[in-house]
PDB file of all heavy atoms in Angstrom:
ATOM      1  N   ALA A 252     248.187  38.636  39.748  1.00 59.00           N
ATOM      2  CA  ALA A 252     249.081  38.962  40.833  1.00 59.00           C
ATOM      3  C   ALA A 252     248.336  39.299  42.123  1.00 59.00           C
ATOM      4  O   ALA A 252     248.660  38.812  43.194  1.00 59.00           O
ATOM      5  CB  ALA A 252     250.010  40.110  40.445  1.00 59.00           C
ATOM      6  N   PHE A 253     247.338  40.119  41.969  1.00 58.00           N
ATOM      7  CA  PHE A 253     246.606  40.536  43.172  1.00 58.00           C
ATOM      8  C   PHE A 253     245.861  39.376  43.800  1.00 58.00           C
ATOM      9  O   PHE A 253     245.875  39.134  44.951  1.00 58.00           O
ATOM     10  CB  PHE A 253     245.591  41.664  42.837  1.00 58.00           C
ATOM     11  CG  PHE A 253     244.997  42.330  44.022  1.00 58.00           C
ATOM     12  CD1 PHE A 253     245.649  43.446  44.594  1.00 58.00           C
ATOM     13  CD2 PHE A 253     243.860  41.842  44.667  1.00 58.00           C
ATOM     14  CE1 PHE A 253     245.132  44.056  45.697  1.00 58.00           C
ATOM     15  CE2 PHE A 253     243.368  42.475  45.799  1.00 58.00           C
ATOM     16  CZ  PHE A 253     243.995  43.556  46.314  1.00 58.00           C
ATOM     17  N   ALA A 254     245.226  38.553  42.913  1.00 63.00           N
ATOM     18  CA  ALA A 254     244.471  37.395  43.433  1.00 63.00           C
ATOM     19  C   ALA A 254     245.368  36.416  44.148  1.00 63.00           C
ATOM     20  O   ALA A 254     244.989  35.783  45.105  1.00 63.00           O
ATOM     21  CB  ALA A 254     243.768  36.706  42.253  1.00 63.00           C
ATOM     22  N   ALA A 255     246.653  36.337  43.648  1.00 58.00           N
ATOM     23  CA  ALA A 255     247.513  35.390  44.246  1.00 58.00           C
ATOM     24  C   ALA A 255     248.092  35.927  45.567  1.00 58.00           C
ATOM     25  O   ALA A 255     248.364  35.170  46.489  1.00 58.00           O
ATOM     26  CB  ALA A 255     248.639  35.007  43.343  1.00 58.00           C
ATOM     27  N   TYR A 256     248.238  37.218  45.626  1.00 55.00           N
ATOM     28  CA  TYR A 256     248.977  37.819  46.754  1.00 55.00           C
ATOM     29  C   TYR A 256     248.056  38.006  47.969  1.00 55.00           C
ATOM     30  O   TYR A 256     248.493  37.875  49.147  1.00 55.00           O
ATOM     31  CB  TYR A 256     249.538  39.168  46.309  1.00 55.00           C
ATOM     32  CG  TYR A 256     250.522  39.772  47.247  1.00 55.00           C
ATOM     33  CD1 TYR A 256     251.576  39.014  47.888  1.00 55.00           C
ATOM     34  CD2 TYR A 256     250.500  41.125  47.524  1.00 55.00           C
ATOM     35  CE1 TYR A 256     252.446  39.578  48.737  1.00 55.00           C
ATOM     36  CE2 TYR A 256     251.392  41.713  48.394  1.00 55.00           C
ATOM     37  CZ  TYR A 256     252.378  40.921  48.963  1.00 55.00           C
ATOM     38  OH  TYR A 256     253.298  41.482  49.868  1.00 55.00           O
ATOM     39  N   PHE A 257     246.808  38.357  47.695  1.00 56.00           N
ATOM     40  CA  PHE A 257     245.921  38.645  48.809  1.00 56.00           C
ATOM     41  C   PHE A 257     244.793  37.601  48.934  1.00 56.00           C
ATOM     42  O   PHE A 257     244.339  37.062  47.924  1.00 56.00           O
ATOM     43  CB  PHE A 257     245.271  40.018  48.643  1.00 56.00           C
ATOM     44  CG  PHE A 257     246.314  41.107  48.660  1.00 56.00           C
ATOM     45  CD1 PHE A 257     246.495  41.871  47.538  1.00 56.00           C
ATOM     46  CD2 PHE A 257     247.039  41.451  49.799  1.00 56.00           C
ATOM     47  CE1 PHE A 257     247.455  42.905  47.470  1.00 56.00           C
ATOM     48  CE2 PHE A 257     247.966  42.422  49.795  1.00 56.00           C
ATOM     49  CZ  PHE A 257     248.223  43.154  48.612  1.00 56.00           C
ATOM     50  N   GLU A 258     244.347  37.427  50.202  1.00 55.00           N
ATOM     51  CA  GLU A 258     243.228  36.547  50.369  1.00 55.00           C
ATOM     52  C   GLU A 258     241.972  37.039  49.651  1.00 55.00           C
ATOM     53  O   GLU A 258     241.670  38.248  49.724  1.00 55.00           O
ATOM     54  CB  GLU A 258     242.934  36.431  51.922  1.00 55.00           C
ATOM     55  CG  GLU A 258     241.773  35.498  52.213  1.00 55.00           C
ATOM     56  CD  GLU A 258     241.434  35.578  53.687  1.00 55.00           C
ATOM     57  OE1 GLU A 258     242.153  36.278  54.400  1.00 55.00           O
ATOM     58  OE2 GLU A 258     240.402  35.020  54.090  1.00 55.00           O
ATOM     59  N   GLN A 259     241.234  36.171  49.012  1.00 56.00           N
ATOM     60  CA  GLN A 259     240.066  36.599  48.254  1.00 56.00           C
ATOM     61  C   GLN A 259     238.838  36.794  49.165  1.00 56.00           C
ATOM     62  O   GLN A 259     238.636  36.070  50.130  1.00 56.00           O
ATOM     63  CB  GLN A 259     239.746  35.582  47.181  1.00 56.00           C
ATOM     64  CG  GLN A 259     240.884  35.300  46.270  1.00 56.00           C
ATOM     65  CD  GLN A 259     241.277  36.574  45.520  1.00 56.00           C
ATOM     66  OE1 GLN A 259     240.508  37.100  44.681  1.00 56.00           O
ATOM     67  NE2 GLN A 259     242.511  37.092  45.776  1.00 56.00           N
ATOM     68  N   SER A 260     238.050  37.768  48.784  1.00 52.00           N
ATOM     69  CA  SER A 260     236.744  37.933  49.451  1.00 52.00           C
ATOM     70  C   SER A 260     235.860  36.780  49.181  1.00 52.00           C
ATOM     71  O   SER A 260     235.918  36.182  48.098  1.00 52.00           O
ATOM     72  CB  SER A 260     236.091  39.212  48.920  1.00 52.00           C
ATOM     73  OG  SER A 260     236.837  40.320  49.165  1.00 52.00           O
ATOM     74  N   GLN A 261     235.094  36.350  50.191  1.00 55.00           N
ATOM     75  CA  GLN A 261     234.221  35.175  50.038  1.00 55.00           C
ATOM     76  C   GLN A 261     232.818  35.559  50.536  1.00 55.00           C
ATOM     77  O   GLN A 261     232.667  36.277  51.567  1.00 55.00           O
ATOM     78  CB  GLN A 261     234.742  33.991  50.850  1.00 55.00           C
ATOM     79  CG  GLN A 261     236.170  33.566  50.398  1.00 55.00           C
ATOM     80  CD  GLN A 261     236.651  32.411  51.260  1.00 55.00           C
ATOM     81  OE1 GLN A 261     235.868  31.564  51.675  1.00 55.00           O
ATOM     82  NE2 GLN A 261     237.933  32.375  51.533  1.00 55.00           N
ATOM     83  N   SER A 262     231.884  35.032  49.840  1.00 52.00           N
ATOM     84  CA  SER A 262     230.497  35.307  50.210  1.00 52.00           C
ATOM     85  C   SER A 262     229.871  34.160  51.008  1.00 52.00           C
ATOM     86  O   SER A 262     228.704  34.117  51.296  1.00 52.00           O
ATOM     87  CB  SER A 262     229.573  35.577  48.949  1.00 52.00           C
ATOM     88  OG  SER A 262     229.686  34.399  48.086  1.00 52.00           O
ATOM     89  N   VAL A 263     230.712  33.185  51.399  1.00 54.00           N
ATOM     90  CA  VAL A 263     230.192  32.079  52.193  1.00 54.00           C
ATOM     91  C   VAL A 263     229.768  32.575  53.541  1.00 54.00           C
ATOM     92  O   VAL A 263     230.352  33.502  54.101  1.00 54.00           O
ATOM     93  CB  VAL A 263     231.293  31.001  52.313  1.00 54.00           C
ATOM     94  CG1 VAL A 263     231.726  30.405  50.998  1.00 54.00           C
ATOM     95  CG2 VAL A 263     232.482  31.548  53.058  1.00 54.00           C
TER      96      VAL A 263
END
Side-chain angles (χ1 to χ4, degrees):
F253 193 90
Y256 192 43
F257 298 113
E258 180 187 355
Q259 301 301 296
S260 300
Q261 299 178 36
S262 58
V263 296

